[in-house]
Amino acid sequence: MVRLHTLTDGIASRMLARHGIAAIWQLQVAAAIAHRTGNPDAAQSILEMADAAEREWLTDHFDPMQT
């Protein structure tokens, strides 16, 4: 079992498990909306979750030997 490093990683992991790879896109869209509506701090936090989800997805699904 992998130990989660931060709360952000935990949230991202749960979203990825529930929504699959679409969670990454959904988080990026949510960050853009937050930024556009004048909430840059929220946007940054959401982007951190998107990045954590992407890192986890790549770790679990990317095999560099197949490229």
Side-chain angles (χ1 to χ4, degrees), residues 11 64-65:
I11 294 168
M65 300 303 286

Side-chain angles (χ1 to χ4, degrees), residues 12 14-29 49-50 53:
R14 286 190 300 276
M15 289 186 73
L16 196 56
R18 184 172 290 158
H19 302 288
I21 195 170
I24 298 167
W25 179 251
Q26 291 166 346
L27 286 164
Q28 291 174 344
V29 169
M49 281 186 259

Side-chain angles (χ1 to χ4, degrees), residues 31-63:
I33 291 168
H35 189 270
R36 189 177 68 224
T37 58
N39 297 295
D41 293 337
Q44 181 61 37
S45 295
I46 296 168
L47 277 177
E48 288 174 12
M49 281 186 259
D51 288 345
E54 186 173 359
R55 279 191 308 274
E56 181 175 334
W57 189 87
L58 286 171
T59 299
D60 292 346
H61 294 90
F62 181 71
D63 183 1

